[in-house]
């Protein structure tokens, strides 16, 4: 049922969300009945989306300070995430010409990865997204999918015919592929296999 082009379910959600927004609270605070979840997500409300707080500090604050602790405490109270980076160090790091020099620089400041990578990984986790790969002689590609996808659903992200005719996925974990340089024996996974972050697939399907 609809009213002026808007479904009744959507109107119920809008009414509930409006009451929360009017008192300065985010849409994520609204308790939505399960039967209205689809309508709620279809609205793509900005304040209903996961939040990652980014603290940009100087070199001395890389391990945190009283201000980042306040942000992290607030983020935790909202069931959100806060990360600490140093934009100045990131700029210096990105200007270094070789991976060896970058590694030495990162070791000097106790950095496990570049800030951009940290932001990407944190955002992916907040959004419940993972990455799978396909590797071939001509090209290698990455695909982003929701966590919990089965391999046929992952195959469908490449082409719907691959999902419809799915037979199996010849699978490497990322670490196994790197360790064996792609020369090991892949696992054979069927239609019920749940994709894992970093998996590498060769899809077998009937046309």
């Amino acid at each position: 049922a609809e009213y002026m082009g808007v479904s009744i379910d959507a109107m119920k959600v809008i009414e509930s969300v409006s009451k929360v927004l009017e008192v300065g609270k985010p849409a994520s605070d609204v308790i939505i009945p399960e039967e209205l979840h689809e309508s709620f997500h279809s609205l793509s409300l900005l304040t209903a989306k996961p939040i990652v707080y980014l603290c940009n500090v100087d070199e001395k604050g890389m391990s945190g300070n009283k201000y980042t602790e306040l942000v992290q405490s607030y983020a935790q109270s909202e069931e959100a995430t806060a990360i600490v980076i140093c934009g100045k160090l990131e700029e210096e790091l990105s200007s270094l010409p070789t991976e060896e020099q970058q590694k030495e620089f990162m070791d000097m400041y106790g950095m496990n990865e570049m800030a951009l990578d940290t932001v990407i990984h944190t955002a992916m986790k907040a959004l419940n997204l993972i990455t799978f790969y396909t590797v071939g002689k001509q090209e290698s590609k990455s695909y982003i999918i929701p966590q919990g996808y089965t391999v046929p659903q992952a195959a469908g992200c490449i082409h719907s015919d691959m999902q419809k005719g799915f037979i199996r996925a010849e699978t490497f974990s990322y670490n196994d592929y790197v360790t064996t340089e792609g020369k090991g024996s892949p696992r054979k996974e069927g239609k019920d296999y749940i994709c894992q972050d970093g998996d590498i697939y060769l899809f077998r399907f009937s046309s």
Side-chain angles (χ1 to χ4, degrees):
E2 292 187 354
Y3 176 73
M4 296 183 67
V6 181
S7 71
I8 299 300
D9 284 349
M11 290 179 65
K12 291 179 181 178
V13 171
I14 291 170
E15 184 179 1
S16 298
V17 170
S18 296
K19 292 178 181 178
V20 171
L21 296 179
E22 285 170 0
V23 296
K25 299 291 186 179
S28 57
D29 280 6
V30 180
I31 298 175
I32 300 294
E34 187 174 349
E35 64 270 17
L36 297 179
H37 279 188
E38 185 176 345
S39 294
F40 178 73
H41 292 299
S42 70
L43 296 174
S44 297
L45 300 168
L46 184 61
T47 60
K49 298 182 183 300
I51 297 174
V52 175
Y53 293 94
L54 186 61
C55 304
N56 186 21
V57 299
D58 59 19
E59 298 94 321
K60 295 178 181 179
M62 283 291 291
S63 59
N65 55 42
K66 63 180 181 180
Y67 301 110
T68 62
E69 288 173 3
L70 287 172
V71 174
Q72 289 171 332
S73 177
Y74 180 74
Q76 189 174 5
S77 72
E78 288 194 329
E79 297 183 354
T81 305
I83 55 177
V84 178
I85 68 164
C86 176
K88 182 179 179 183
L89 289 182
E90 185 76 2
E91 183 179 7
E92 292 179 27
L93 177 60
S94 62
S95 68
L96 296 175
T98 68
E99 289 187 6
E100 184 179 352
Q101 288 176 310
Q102 290 180 351
K103 186 178 184 307
E104 289 178 358
F105 187 90
M106 291 169 68
D107 289 343
M108 184 188 309
Y109 287 97
M111 300 168 64
N112 295 320
E113 61 182 358
M114 296 183 72
L116 178 59
D117 293 333
T118 301
V119 171
I120 291 172
H121 294 155
T122 305
M124 291 276 286
K125 185 176 180 179
L127 293 168
N128 290 317
L129 298 174
I130 62 173
T131 304
F132 78 86
Y133 302 90
T134 58
V135 178
K137 292 182 180 180
Q138 295 184 338
E139 66 175 0
S140 298
K141 296 189 70 173
S142 65
Y143 299 85
I144 294 174
I145 57 174
Q147 191 170 10
Y149 258 31
T150 60
V151 276
Q153 288 176 306
C157 293
I158 300 174
H159 198 287
S160 59
D161 287 348
M162 296 175 70
Q163 181 172 0
K164 292 176 183 176
F166 179 85
I167 299 173
R168 67 177 182 273
E170 296 178 6
T171 308
F172 282 102
S173 70
Y174 178 81
N175 289 336
D176 287 347
Y177 190 86
V178 171
T179 301
T180 64
E181 297 182 347
K183 298 176 182 177
S185 298
R187 310 188 315 271
K188 293 179 175 62
E189 302 292 357
K191 63 181 181 180
D192 295 328
Y193 176 74
I194 302 298
C195 299
Q196 301 300 309
D197 193 27
D199 275 353
I200 298 167
Y201 300 129
L202 173 61
F203 295 111
R204 300 295 186 185
F205 63 100
S206 59
S207 56

